[in-house]
Amino acid sequence: MKKHLLFLLLFFLFPGCLFSQTTLINGRVLNEKSTPVSYAMITLNRDGKTLTGAISDSLGCFQIKGTFTGTYLLKIASSECELRQVEVECGQQPSLTLGNVILQNNALSEVTIIGDSPTTAPEITAENIRMITTGNMSEGTGSVLEILKSTSSVTVDNDENVAIRGNSNVLILMDGIPTTVSSLSAIPAANVNPDAKYDAEGTGGIINIVSEKQLDNAFSMLASFNYGFMGMLNGNFAIGYDKGKWSVRVNYNGKYEKDVINSELDRYFYTTGNSIHQQILAHRKNSNHVVGANVVYRATPKDILTVNVKGMFPHLNNFQNFNNHYITDDVPSELFRQTDITFNREMVEGFVNYKHIFIPKKRTLDLRASVSKIWGHRPSYYYEHGEMVQKSVSGGSPFITSLQADFMTKLKKGQLDAGVKMTYRQNNIDHKFYALDTLSQVWIYSDYFSNDLRHREYIPAAYALYSIQFNPKWSLKAGLRGEFTRTELHCDKDSINTAQNHTFVGATVGATYKINDKWSMFFNYADRVSRPTYPQLNPYINLIDNQTYETGNIYLHPEAAHKRDVAYAFNTKKVKINGSLYLNFVQSCITQVATIRDSALMLTYVNGDWDLKVGLDHAFTFNLLKWFNIVLSTNTYYGITTGEFEGADLRNQGWVNNSNIALNFKPIKGMNIQLQYFCFTPQHFPQFTTRTIHYMNIGIKQSFLKNKLTVSALLTDVFNTRRWDIVSDNNIYSLVNNSKNKSRMFWLGVTFNFNSFKPALSKQKQEEDRSVIRIGE
């Protein structure tokens, strides 16, 4: 190709060309595989200015018409390939035919979700933690939640409460729409990749689950099925077609889980001298069905419309047996109690996004509208010695919608991103509780345990972010975000009708310095805010047992975090090391606390004084042999929490280390064998501390048919050591709670991937690389 271009240039390069004119320049744009590159932007430039241009069609062909004389620089740009520049001489003849112009593939367009991928440690920078999902054997369970557990910065307890670096106020999004942990755990890992990144909301961080929507140019299909012996299975099916202006995809995800949790609890109350010993056996059945559709319409190369709709139907039944032994005023007693609680939540989520490209890679506008609606229904039944004595019916209908506009423009020096967003949240919660009158056998409405709450929240926000690349080594970004929150709460039972206003202004500053080809340094400062969630606000009283209750607190106010990170990266062919030294200071931290109310233990949420965590994240990859490497991920921090509520001391502090090491073997082509060991030292929370957790997983994965078919086997918690034990000794009570669920499981998985779902960056540049997890701090 270069010879042909050189021949054309020499042929036209003589003095007579100055007195002739060219009126047509044409050619065809292909990639390395000789596949036509459609929607490539071709521009004709002189003296640093763009004079005219054209866009390649579906066959890669283009034409530029005009009057051209002399030397020009022809630039050919495509988001899936590297920029190509060709110098052309015009004037000898009416038309200039360039023939086939070959573009080199961009590295990002080579990333695939399924395949024989290298296993590497998380990439830690000052902004986020990138975790490579391919090659991670945790995906053998099929759950996104299990993949998140593989990074040392994320912890998940027995109740699937997620924390990032010890902070449990984590905002969970799905395609940018707020959702729940139960939805996150229900999504098979075969066709989605979580992306967690910085944002103003979520002092702990944000986990954003992004559905894999982009398709390769053709018909594509993906099917996966994972079966865990002992009653767990999940799978999904997706099919799509991408041609011309349209990309269409529909998918189904489903799961079913049966779990058994054995717990033993001892609690002693210092204020009364009473004690309780409980043996708890819980049977959980959890199912979920998710149906989704995504449509991308490229009206023109500069106008792209995306519509995404998803319906989720989770169902969870939790049946618990409590064998309670009490000592009250030195008198022993016994009570056998059962609870049967079912959580039903029909959910609909979706968004519409319009992108207009004024100038490719220089000026764009994104407009997005999103909505999330949940219909919740929770019937609960309580038994004593086999007889139903209490029942309740709870209902909630959370609704979240937002309108957003984001503008990006390249300046003479640097880039400016700015946007506005309006979010509206509401929830109507009704909880009706009834107790059985044993004499008349009549159900009596309980005003004490019943409640209602009407919650409304308005959140207008605006931001601006300026970034600049000074030279190949230095880059800087600085931004400011402002949010105003108005929260309205109305509760008939407690005669509450209040409104609170809260203003948040936060700064973001980041810098990157590339020392050389091996070393890089990063710095980041960010302010963030977390608003109370519905469970934290909901004032109705939930019966855990007849001596332990749980309720929300409508008087909670937001917490604010100030974060500083300094990170480095060292990368060679054999060794890859990166780490981050971080400090996270949270004011008015939201936390759960236990107090004594009416001789019972009441769990609620309060604002503590402050929470401080200083730590170091580290990730290492050692490529010892071509077929063997070691990956180590570790997070160590010192945390302090302070505060007091109704006599309860929230102070707790201590060192925490969460680490895991993986040994990865590739004995033959397409085969991955992984042994991964996890260890979590005691975690320190207000009023309680967990005990050390350790366990090991072993997995094997083999791909066939050029990565179209993948078969995997995974044994989790090989030695059955994974458990959740907590201890507490505060000024109100002492507690020891030991809990063990069904953690040792053998999984078999099959994934079929036809035509390979890839991030088609040529179609929609704003989509990010989905082969990673980013965990924002």
Side-chain angles (χ1 to χ4, degrees), residues 71-300:
T71 303
Y72 296 85
L73 185 64
L74 190 72
K75 294 183 180 181
I76 305 175
S78 170
S79 54
E80 71 176 2
C81 300
E82 295 182 0
L83 176 67
R84 179 75 184 274
Q85 300 184 87
V86 180
E87 191 174 272
V88 295
E89 286 289 337
C90 300
Q92 175 61 23
Q93 57 187 24
S95 64
L96 175 61
T97 301
L98 298 179
N100 294 333
V101 182
I102 308 299
L103 301 186
Q104 300 293 320
N105 286 337
N106 188 307
L108 284 179
S109 66
E110 299 293 327
V111 176
T112 59
I113 304 304
I114 306 296
D116 184 13
S117 304
T119 304
T120 63
E123 296 178 5
I124 303 171
T125 70
E127 283 190 51
N128 52 43
I129 303 168
R130 283 171 33 103
M131 179 181 173
I132 307 300
T133 61
T134 50
N136 189 311
M137 289 300 165
S138 296
E139 67 181 357
T141 63
S143 172
V144 170
L145 193 61
E146 289 299 321
I147 295 181
L148 286 175
K149 294 177 183 178
S150 295
T151 176
S152 58
S153 295
V154 176
T155 55
V156 184
D157 66 16
N158 256 14
D159 294 320
E160 294 188 342
N161 297 311
V162 179
I164 299 178
R165 288 178 176 173
N167 192 322
S168 58
N169 289 319
V170 178
L171 179 64
I172 299 175
L173 307 174
M174 186 176 297
D175 290 322
I177 302 171
T179 188
T180 62
V181 176
S182 60
S183 302
L184 187 151
S185 63
I187 303 172
N191 75 321
V192 300
N193 285 274
D195 185 330
K197 57 185 178 182
Y198 289 156
D199 194 75
E201 185 172 356
T203 55
I206 291 181
I207 297 173
N208 187 18
I209 308 303
V210 184
S211 299
E212 194 59 61
K213 298 182 287 291
Q214 299 302 318
L215 310 174
D216 215 358
N217 286 334
F219 169 79
S220 298
M221 182 178 71
L222 174 67
S224 70
F225 178 78
N226 299 280
Y227 179 73
F229 293 85
M230 296 176 64
M232 294 190 180
L233 59 91
N234 61 64
N236 75 318
F237 177 79
I239 187 170
Y241 191 70
D242 183 5
K243 186 175 182 180
K245 295 183 177 182
W246 291 92
S247 294
V248 181
R249 169 179 164 147
V250 294
N251 64 279
Y252 164 78
N253 302 328
K255 83 163 187 177
Y256 176 77
E257 295 179 351
K258 291 174 63 176
D259 199 5
V260 178
I261 301 175
N262 282 284
S263 302
E264 191 166 353
L265 182 147
D266 287 284
R267 186 184 289 126
Y268 177 81
F269 298 93
Y270 291 120
T271 54
T272 62
N274 299 334
S275 63
I276 178 175
H277 172 77
Q278 290 181 309
Q279 292 176 309
I280 308 170
L281 178 64
H283 296 268
R284 291 184 180 179
K285 294 182 181 179
N286 191 358
S287 65
N288 193 14
H289 301 276
V290 181
V291 180
N294 185 82
V295 178
V296 178
Y297 174 61
R298 296 173 287 273
T300 71

Side-chain angles (χ1 to χ4, degrees), residues 453-464:
L453 177 69
R454 305 293 182 267
H455 175 267
R456 304 288 185 271
E457 200 162 59
Y458 308 84
I459 312 169
Y463 78 92

Side-chain angles (χ1 to χ4, degrees), residues 116-117 119 137 625-629 663-675 699-703:
D116 184 13
S117 304
T119 304
M137 289 300 165
L625 299 170
K626 192 173 183 180
W627 51 271
F628 172 67
N629 76 348
L663 307 180
N664 303 287
F665 303 86
K666 295 187 178 181
I668 62 175
K669 184 178 180 180
M671 177 179 287
N672 292 338
I673 301 175
Q674 184 179 85
L675 284 76
I700 182 171
K701 181 166 62 174
Q702 176 69 57
S703 59

Side-chain angles (χ1 to χ4, degrees), residues 231-529:
M232 294 190 180
L233 59 91
N234 61 64
N236 75 318
F237 177 79
I239 187 170
Y241 191 70
D242 183 5
K243 186 175 182 180
K245 295 183 177 182
W246 291 92
S247 294
V248 181
R249 169 179 164 147
V250 294
N251 64 279
Y252 164 78
N253 302 328
K255 83 163 187 177
Y256 176 77
E257 295 179 351
K258 291 174 63 176
D259 199 5
V260 178
I261 301 175
N262 282 284
S263 302
E264 191 166 353
L265 182 147
D266 287 284
R267 186 184 289 126
Y268 177 81
F269 298 93
Y270 291 120
T271 54
T272 62
N274 299 334
S275 63
I276 178 175
H277 172 77
Q278 290 181 309
Q279 292 176 309
I280 308 170
L281 178 64
H283 296 268
R284 291 184 180 179
K285 294 182 181 179
N286 191 358
S287 65
N288 193 14
H289 301 276
V290 181
V291 180
N294 185 82
V295 178
V296 178
Y297 174 61
R298 296 173 287 273
T300 71
K302 293 186 176 183
D303 297 279
I304 303 170
L305 180 68
T306 303
V307 180
N308 183 271
V309 180
K310 186 186 289 94
M312 290 179 283
F313 308 93
H315 176 91
L316 170 63
N317 177 258
N318 189 16
F319 190 90
Q320 295 176 295
N321 295 281
F322 294 86
N323 193 355
N324 302 327
H325 299 268
Y326 305 98
I327 297 179
T328 305
D329 299 328
D330 296 325
V331 177
S333 61
E334 186 178 80
L335 177 66
F336 181 69
R337 186 176 173 88
Q338 294 174 309
T339 63
D340 185 3
I341 304 175
T342 302
F343 301 83
N344 299 296
R345 295 167 66 89
E346 292 77 37
M347 310 166 68
V348 175
E349 301 176 349
F351 67 82
V352 177
N353 192 95
Y354 168 71
K355 185 181 187 71
H356 179 69
I357 304 171
F358 297 97
I359 302 175
K361 298 184 179 182
K362 288 187 176 182
R363 190 172 300 147
T364 61
L365 174 67
D366 279 274
L367 303 175
R368 170 177 283 214
S370 66
V371 64
S372 173
K373 174 66 176 177
I374 299 175
W375 294 269
H377 181 67
R378 195 186 80 166
S380 304
Y381 305 96
Y382 307 90
Y383 303 82
E384 291 183 359
H385 300 292
E387 298 292 331
M388 187 187 301
V389 294
Q390 297 162 324
K391 64 180 181 180
S392 65
V393 178
S394 301
S397 54
F399 174 77
I400 304 175
T401 185
S402 66
L403 295 174
Q404 182 176 346
D406 297 283
F407 179 73
M408 182 277 288
T409 182
K410 293 281 189 180
L411 305 176
K412 188 175 182 180
K413 291 186 178 181
Q415 175 178 312
L416 177 66
D417 294 84
V420 294
K421 184 176 182 179
M422 177 65 191
T423 303
Y424 171 72
R425 303 197 306 174
Q426 73 169 43
N427 196 6
N428 299 328
I429 303 169
D430 288 294
H431 180 70
K432 295 180 174 62
F433 189 91
Y434 302 87
L436 181 66
D437 187 320
T438 55
L439 296 177
S440 64
Q441 293 295 301
V442 174
W443 290 100
I444 307 299
Y445 176 79
S446 171
D447 185 65
Y448 179 75
F449 289 108
S450 301
N451 217 311
D452 61 87
L453 177 69
R454 305 293 182 267
H455 175 267
R456 304 288 185 271
E457 200 162 59
Y458 308 84
I459 312 169
Y463 78 92
L465 179 68
Y466 175 75
S467 55
I468 184 172
Q469 182 85 34
F470 294 106
N471 52 52
K473 290 188 174 183
W474 272 104
S475 65
L476 175 71
K477 68 175 183 179
L480 197 65
R481 184 182 183 94
E483 296 184 355
F484 174 80
T485 303
R486 178 176 176 81
T487 304
E488 299 175 356
L489 297 170
H490 179 79
C491 182
D492 291 329
K493 179 203 166 189
D494 297 324
S495 301
I496 294 174
N497 190 14
T498 64
Q500 297 181 9
N501 297 327
H502 182 266
T503 301
F504 168 81
V505 178
T508 298
V509 179
T512 300
Y513 177 61
K514 187 175 180 180
I515 302 173
N516 51 45
D517 292 339
K518 297 180 180 180
W519 287 93
S520 298
M521 295 290 296
F522 313 92
F523 167 78
N524 192 76
Y525 170 86
D527 297 319
R528 233 163 298 147
V529 64

